[in-house]
Amino acid sequence: GQAKNEETGKEVTTTRMKQAQSYVHAEYYGKMEKCSNAGGLGVWRSWAEQDGKEEYTHYTVRPKITLQYDFTPATSLRLTGEISSIPPSLSELSAVDQYVDTLQVVRGNPALKPATNYLLGLQYGWRKGIVDINFLTNYRYVDKMIMKELHREDGLFISVFDNQRNFRKLNSELSFSVGPVNDILQFSLTGGVN
């Protein structure tokens, strides 16, 4: 994509930006008795340029795997894992100060690098008639996560995007559903912890 970013306020600033993302992916599916699996491998290319000066080109290998074991036709356990890339947006890369008001400024960072996202999930499912119970837990680790930092400069609050060390998230959910009743109505209750 291309963007022409014009900021007005105390001064007019124009920044011409280009961004491109490419992705190639291949997958394999297999099944042996009660065990099924799927695997994929992709390559992600992220590129950005600002005012005719190349800022970065980044390649990420994106593997993905799913393993499932069916204890019975109604009960299964699934393990998934994948690695992906989170590139910075054009506004996060913009080398422009954007005045929110007289005290707040948002500043982009042309030195940002894409973050790498690691996801591991485990899911257990049970079904009997119209009753369905699912439990899932996911662990997410993001290396070099892009987040805002806030600091003071010349009496202003400056928000700057930067690559942090990491971001971690663990969430679990339990879902209970009944339905469909007469092919039109389903009741579902889900609770979880993040």
Side-chain angles (χ1 to χ4, degrees), residues 20-25 42-47 58-60 62:
Q21 297 173 6
S22 307
Y23 183 59
V24 176
H25 183 80
V43 177
W44 174 278
R45 178 184 178 265
S46 184
W47 171 86
H58 183 78
Y59 290 89
T60 303
R62 293 181 64 174

Side-chain angles (χ1 to χ4, degrees), residues 2-3 24 28 33 36 40 45 60 64 66 78 81 83 89-90 93 114-115 132 138 159 176:
Q2 294 188 36
V24 176
Y28 163 81
E33 295 182 24
S36 61
R45 178 184 178 265
T60 303
K64 182 178 181 179
T66 301
R78 176 185 294 174
I83 300 172
S89 69
L90 286 176
L93 288 168
D132 192 5
N138 289 311
S159 295
F176 174 78

Side-chain angles (χ1 to χ4, degrees), residues 31-71:
K31 186 166 175 88
M32 242 177 20
E33 295 182 24
K34 294 184 175 190
C35 189
S36 61
N37 59 66
L41 185 62
V43 177
W44 174 278
R45 178 184 178 265
S46 184
W47 171 86
E49 180 183 274
Q50 188 166 211
D51 281 330
K53 180 181 172 186
E54 187 173 319
E55 295 297 329
Y56 72 78
T57 300
H58 183 78
Y59 290 89
T60 303
V61 176
R62 293 181 64 174
K64 182 178 181 179
I65 189 166
T66 301
L67 302 172
Q68 181 169 322
Y69 186 79
D70 298 322
F71 297 100

Side-chain angles (χ1 to χ4, degrees), residues 1 14 18-19 26 34 45 51 55 59 61 63 73-74 97 117 128 130 135 139 145 149 151 160-161 172 188 192:
T14 302
K18 295 179 183 177
Q19 185 176 32
K34 294 184 175 190
R45 178 184 178 265
D51 281 330
E55 295 297 329
Y59 290 89
V61 176
D97 283 358
N117 181 52
K128 177 110 179 172
I130 61 170
F135 172 76
Y139 177 70
M145 180 72 160
E149 292 180 358
H151 66 274
V160 181
F161 295 99
S172 298
S188 182

